[in-house]
Amino acid sequence: MFNFLKGVVGGSGGGQKDLPYNIGDPYPSAWSSWSHFRGTSKDDGSPVSIFSLSGSNPQDGRLAAGRNGVKRLRTVRHPNILSFLYSTEVETVDGSGTKVTIYIVTEPAMPLYEKIKELSLEGTQRDEYYAWGLHQIAKAVSFLNNDCKLVHGNVCLESVVVTQTLDWKLHAFDVLSEYDGTSGTATGPMLPYEWLVGSQYKSVELAKSDWVAIRKSPPWAIDSWGLGCLIYEIFSGMKLGKTEELRNTASIPKSLLPDYQRLLSSTPSRRLNASKLIENSEYFQNKLVDTIHFMEILSLKDSVEKDTFFRKLPNLTEQLPRQIVLKKLFPLLTSALEYGSATAPALTALLKIGSWLSAEEYTLKVLPTIIKLFASNDRAIRVALLQHIDQYGESLSAQAVDEQVYPHVATGFVDTSSILRELTLKSMLIMAPKLSQRNLSGSLLKYLSKLQVDEEPAIRTNTTILLGNIASYLNDGTRKRVLINAFTVRALRDTFSPARGAGVMALCATSSYYDTTEIATRILPNIVVLTIDPDSDVRSKVFQAVDQFMQILKQSNEKSNAGDTAHAGSLGLSSMPGNAGLLEWAMSSLTLKGKPLDQAPIAASNSVRPVTTTTAASSGLIETPSMAPVRVSSSSDFADAPAPPSPTLTDGWGEIENGVHEEQYSDKDGWDDIKPLEEPKPSSALANIQAAQKRPVSQPKPQATSLRSKSTVKAVATKDEDDDLWGSIAVPTPKIASKSLKVKTSGAVEDDDPWAAIAAPPPTTKAKPLSAGRGRGTKAAAPKLGAQRINRTSSSGMQ
């Protein structure tokens, strides 16, 4: 029965060999007869503190007090009291007798005196940290005295330890006992183990063992005296030698001196309660105490208070002691973010504090929290994560990005918020190199295909730029299938001029991935059309691109003529001198960070400047504040020419084959709908030609000539319709070209008759009637147009 009760009080375990902890090196000091060791758990290697007390006699009074301390520490729990983990009592027999050892295992901590020397704080930072520590010990003492009606009995420097988060915690509960002052029948010592307390720490009534006066005093009288002793030892930097030293107040801060004197009052009833010390002392009103206190009660604050606090926190951390911020404030901040009590601005403070850590600590302490935050449904948190991805993105492992981060980030591609879509797009510049080919070529490209036809012009532009930047991470088959279609069929036909410019530069930046056949048949025909683009910036980029691609073809031709055909079909931009600068410019200078995008008409320089956002990213992408469409005007001669139409939404680039989109761009040449070229439709042109040739003349002979000309033109039109991809812009056959040249030299081509250049020449005998018929004055002759349609039908029937 006795062994059972001893196990309940002393803890579990049959001896030191069964202790589930490894005992390490001792600290140089500990309270009373206890020894303080470093230790680790045998299970997971986590650090702990191990206290041991030995005695040669099982009935030794020190062992009895130690057992009292174990019981009290096990049952009394408070944030500012050392956390109990495990205890056991070991009996060993040697030649001289039996030795009993009590072990207490707690959270890792070190003596306060040793920690103060290690931190070496000075000036204001030292005072702020001391204020925070005393604030914590005062709360622990107040909890014991006022809430539990317990008396610690020996509050001093040795009874305080410091945890890994630099929190001060109270321990050494061997003397602790209940306060029985309210019991009129109580006799004898109220503190059975008060003889363990050093005489220099005893108050006047305790030194006299005046238990009657002690019981008449308030519960905090003895421990308030102990708080005064602790304050003296902290600020003097030495342990208290005798009670008279407490009168030396030279080292006590002036703001704390009145409270210090009240704590050490010779009259027990007049001593300051620890709870009043916390509330009234001016000394505890400082930035460190206020900041940590706010973080500890963060869940009680409203959203406005939280937002205001976290916006100030990054600057505030610069003014606080660095070690306290890293070891105390930083864990509170990560916990608040993980459990959702912190607002989005807290992420800025987290990353700033994290930048002070080593690379190893950053990986262990910051990145796990960031990865967890990506799963948050709070849109503000998601925006903040993407805005600051350049600060932590490189530290994320490829596996974490591909498996844990990207699945959550990808939801932003289809978010209703244009800002979130844009930030998600920009984040891919950092994440793409870490993605697997399954996510890169499958998931990501599908999202980019939809973003390239997004309703916001800046998003469309940034999608093109991003695709050019990540092209090197795609496999060869994906590049062949995607790049040219994305840059020509979509980007070059966008109504937003920066998007067209981005398409041109993306082609230049990725030119090393195209062979000479693709350059000659699919790239140059698309970009040459933009040499008459309404925007001067686009035109200048197009001319540069044409020069570059022509240089590639020239070099290929030279090598082919020289007999070196091994690399003639794969010569790219990388082989050209000076192309490194071009690639860099295309990737970072297209949309400079901080370069404004005017929504008003631009100046005569024709430069298009992107609007900057409040959160500029370093990805080289266009940035806009509200993602509203940007109006761009030009003062060039092409100001009246309409811009090419923007493509509509499709399922992806996988449906684009050989440069022609199956759904939208099914025309033979793919360019009939480009308005700046003013290219008339073949059916309308044919009607105009036939109208010009069917005008009535007085002689039947010219009429026959007109019919023959009509047949010739009709044959040409039929051939144009049957031509291949670029049929509508192909060079005409020699016969028609020669006739065209003759007519062109004989008279000017009218604006309303674009096909007059290839019409048959009228008879010389009736030149005047034909000239009059082709003049501008004949446009309003509606009946004549009706007659032409009838004649055309009948003539078609004859043929």
Side-chain angles (χ1 to χ4, degrees):
M1 183 67 181
F2 174 76
N3 291 334
F4 171 75
L5 293 176
K6 186 173 72 171
V8 172
V9 175
S12 58
Q16 183 176 358
K17 63 179 180 179
D18 297 325
L19 189 69
Y21 299 91
N22 299 313
I23 299 178
D25 298 331
Y27 288 102
S29 62
W31 182 82
S32 186
S33 299
W34 286 87
S35 297
H36 186 182
F37 299 89
R38 300 173 179 87
T40 57
S41 171
K42 291 181 179 178
D43 294 335
D44 55 8
S46 58
V48 296
S49 281
I50 300 176
F51 297 87
S52 68
L53 177 65
S54 300
S56 57
N57 185 355
Q59 304 302 321
D60 187 353
R62 295 182 182 276
L63 292 178
R67 296 187 184 101
N68 177 67
V70 172
K71 181 182 71 173
R72 299 295 186 177
L73 191 63
R74 181 198 297 269
T75 57
V76 178
R77 297 299 178 99
H78 187 268
N80 303 119
I81 293 176
L82 191 63
S83 298
F84 173 89
L85 297 178
Y86 180 86
S87 68
T88 189
E89 188 171 326
V90 179
E91 293 184 4
T92 57
V93 180
D94 53 17
S96 59
T98 302
K99 181 180 179 181
V100 179
T101 304
I102 299 174
Y103 291 99
I104 305 177
V105 182
T106 68
E107 62 180 313
M110 68 183 302
L112 175 61
Y113 183 72
E114 303 297 329
K115 177 58 72 173
I116 288 176
K117 290 194 299 183
E118 179 183 296
L119 293 176
S120 302
L121 296 175
E122 297 180 355
T124 304
Q125 291 190 347
R126 187 201 70 164
D127 291 343
E128 288 183 346
Y129 180 59
Y130 287 177
W132 169 244
L134 288 173
H135 186 271
Q136 291 180 302
I137 298 302
K139 286 196 295 183
V141 172
S142 175
F143 171 74
L144 294 175
N145 298 158
N146 301 310
D147 299 334
C148 303
K149 302 302 179 184
L150 297 172
V151 178
H152 184 276
N154 192 22
V155 178
C156 61
L157 186 66
E158 289 184 341
S159 64
V160 178
V161 291
V162 182
T163 64
Q164 291 180 325
T165 57
L166 299 184
D167 289 311
W168 292 17
K169 297 201 173 185
L170 189 63
H171 80 122
F173 282 5
D174 295 20
V175 185
L176 188 142
S177 181
E178 288 85 0
Y179 173 76
D180 59 359
T182 57
S183 175
T185 59
T187 59
M190 189 175 70
L191 301 178
Y193 307 106
E194 57 85 19
W195 50 272
L196 290 172
V197 180
S199 59
Q200 71 273 27
Y201 295 112
K202 290 183 177 180
S203 60
V204 178
E205 67 277 12
L206 186 60
K208 295 178 180 180
S209 298
D210 188 354
W211 299 112
V212 175
I214 291 174
R215 286 188 169 91
K216 290 181 180 180
S217 302
W220 60 82
I222 294 177
D223 289 339
S224 292
W225 181 278
L227 273 176
C229 297
L230 175 62
I231 290 173
Y232 173 82
E233 290 181 313
I234 289 173
F235 287 101
S236 65
M238 61 183 68
K239 297 180 180 179
L240 184 62
K242 53 185 178 179
T243 306
E244 288 74 15
E245 293 178 358
L246 296 172
R247 298 180 182 274
N248 183 7
T249 61
S251 60
I252 307 299
K254 293 182 179 180
S255 58
L256 187 59
L257 185 58
D259 292 328
Y260 171 77
Q261 293 172 337
R262 292 181 63 189
L263 288 171
L264 297 174
S265 174
S266 58
T267 305
S269 60
R270 293 183 179 179
R271 288 176 191 155
L272 185 64
N273 190 341
S275 63
K276 298 298 181 181
L277 174 67
I278 298 171
E279 296 173 1
N280 301 331
S281 178
E282 178 186 352
Y283 180 70
F284 295 113
Q285 305 301 319
N286 62 60
K287 294 176 182 178
L288 180 62
V289 175
D290 293 342
T291 300
I292 297 179
H293 180 66
F294 189 97
M295 289 295 301
E296 290 180 336
I297 60 172
L298 187 62
S299 59
L300 304 178
K301 302 294 183 179
D302 59 39
S303 58
V304 177
E305 290 176 309
K306 291 179 183 179
D307 192 70
T308 303
F309 171 78
F310 286 120
R311 291 186 185 278
K312 295 179 180 179
L313 187 58
N315 292 331
L316 189 61
T317 54
E318 295 284 355
Q319 307 170 24
L320 302 178
R322 180 64 59 88
Q323 290 297 321
I324 289 88
V325 170
L326 291 175
K327 295 185 177 181
K328 175 62 182 177
L329 189 59
F330 182 71
L332 291 174
L333 189 58
T334 56
S335 177
L337 280 167
E338 288 181 11
Y339 291 103
S341 57
T343 57
L347 185 63
T348 304
L350 177 74
L351 295 174
K352 181 170 185 177
I353 298 173
S355 64
W356 301 339
L357 299 172
S358 64
E360 182 179 355
E361 289 178 320
Y362 190 89
T363 302
L364 295 175
K365 297 180 179 180
V366 179
L367 294 184
T369 299
I370 291 176
I371 292 174
K372 290 179 182 178
L373 289 178
F374 274 105
S376 173
N377 293 325
D378 187 346
R379 182 172 288 176
I381 291 289
R382 293 164 60 193
V383 168
L385 285 169
L386 297 176
Q387 286 174 333
H388 299 91
I389 194 171
D390 57 320
Q391 299 181 31
Y392 61 84
E394 297 298 334
S395 302
L396 291 171
S397 66
Q399 182 179 3
V401 171
D402 193 60
E403 298 178 1
Q404 297 176 268
V405 176
Y406 176 76
H408 298 294
V409 174
T411 60
F413 285 120
V414 294
D415 197 274
T416 56
S417 170
S418 58
I419 294 179
L420 190 55
R421 294 199 306 274
E422 181 189 25
L423 291 173
T424 303
L425 177 68
K426 293 178 180 179
S427 69
M428 291 301 107
L429 196 61
I430 295 176
M431 291 189 184
K434 302 176 184 289
L435 293 179
S436 63
Q437 282 299 318
R438 177 178 57 86
N439 281 330
L440 188 63
S441 300
S443 173
L444 178 57
L445 289 185
K446 289 182 180 179
Y447 287 121
L448 295 185
S449 174
K450 290 178 170 57
L451 288 183
Q452 209 179 19
V453 289
D454 193 89
E455 61 183 3
E456 302 296 342
I459 291 182
R460 301 197 300 268
T461 305
N462 289 338
T463 303
T464 301
I465 296 174
L466 173 67
L467 189 58
N469 288 338
I470 67 173
S472 59
Y473 308 117
L474 303 175
N475 56 47
D476 293 338
T478 303
R479 283 196 292 260
K480 291 286 185 182
R481 178 171 54 90
V482 169
L483 294 185
I484 295 181
N485 292 325
F487 297 152
T488 60
V489 176
R490 288 190 176 175
L492 297 186
R493 299 187 178 193
D494 202 295
T495 57
F496 191 51
S497 59
R500 299 196 296 275
V504 174
M505 297 311 301
L507 285 169
C508 293
T510 57
S511 64
S512 59
Y513 304 123
Y514 313 129
D515 56 34
T516 53
T517 302
E518 291 174 322
I519 293 174
T521 62
R522 301 181 62 188
I523 296 178
L524 282 176
N526 281 278
I527 62 175
V528 167
V529 179
L530 296 182
T531 55
I532 56 171
D533 191 89
D535 188 270
S536 63
D537 186 52
V538 175
R539 295 197 300 271
S540 63
K541 293 174 181 177
V542 168
F543 285 119
Q544 294 177 10
V546 170
D547 292 341
Q548 293 168 14
F549 284 114
M550 289 302 297
Q551 183 66 20
I552 294 175
L553 296 179
K554 290 178 181 178
Q555 291 182 5
S556 175
N557 179 64
E558 292 173 358
K559 288 193 175 184
S560 178
N561 293 338
D564 183 8
T565 58
H567 303 286
S570 60
L571 182 62
L573 188 60
S574 58
S575 63
M576 293 176 55
N579 283 323
L582 270 175
L583 183 59
E584 179 68 21
W585 182 83
M587 294 171 65
S588 64
S589 183
L590 262 175
T591 53
L592 290 175
K593 177 178 178 182
K595 193 176 180 183
L597 180 67
D598 298 331
Q599 293 188 355
I602 59 176
S605 62
N606 275 337
S607 61
V608 179
R609 301 179 298 172
V611 174
T612 58
T613 59
T614 55
T615 57
S618 61
S619 61
L621 306 180
I622 283 185
E623 306 178 6
T624 65
S626 61
M627 301 306 298
V630 181
R631 299 182 180 89
V632 180
S633 63
S634 175
S635 61
S636 65
D637 296 336
F638 302 96
D640 297 332
S646 176
T648 57
L649 185 63
T650 62
D651 293 335
W653 295 310
E655 300 173 358
I656 302 175
E657 297 293 337
N658 298 325
V660 180
H661 197 286
E662 293 177 1
E663 294 181 5
Q664 302 165 24
Y665 301 102
S666 59
D667 292 338
K668 298 288 189 303
D669 55 9
W671 289 100
D672 291 337
D673 57 350
I674 297 184
K675 296 179 181 178
L677 297 181
E678 296 293 344
E679 190 72 24
K681 296 181 179 180
S683 59
S684 300
L686 182 60
N688 290 336
I689 295 170
Q690 291 172 345
Q693 294 175 340
K694 293 289 290 180
R695 289 189 179 97
V697 293
S698 57
Q699 298 293 335
K701 202 170 188 179
Q703 180 70 23
T705 305
S706 177
L707 290 175
R708 286 194 303 271
S709 301
K710 173 184 171 184
S711 300
T712 305
V713 174
K714 192 167 185 178
V716 174
T718 304
K719 186 181 184 304
D720 288 340
E721 292 175 357
D722 295 335
D723 260 342
D724 290 332
L725 187 63
W726 310 112
S728 62
I729 60 173
V731 178
T733 58
K735 287 185 178 181
I736 303 302
S738 62
K739 293 182 180 180
S740 176
L741 291 175
K742 291 179 182 180
V743 175
K744 197 166 186 179
T745 55
S746 61
V749 179
E750 300 296 338
D751 296 337
D752 60 339
D753 196 356
W755 292 102
I758 62 173
T764 55
T765 56
K766 294 294 181 180
K768 289 184 179 181
L770 182 59
S771 177
R774 294 179 59 200
R776 297 180 183 270
T778 62
K779 286 185 178 180
K784 187 176 296 185
L785 292 176
Q788 290 172 357
R789 285 195 293 270
I790 295 173
N791 292 338
R792 183 185 62 180
T793 304
S794 60
S795 62
S796 299
M798 292 174 61
Q799 293 174 352

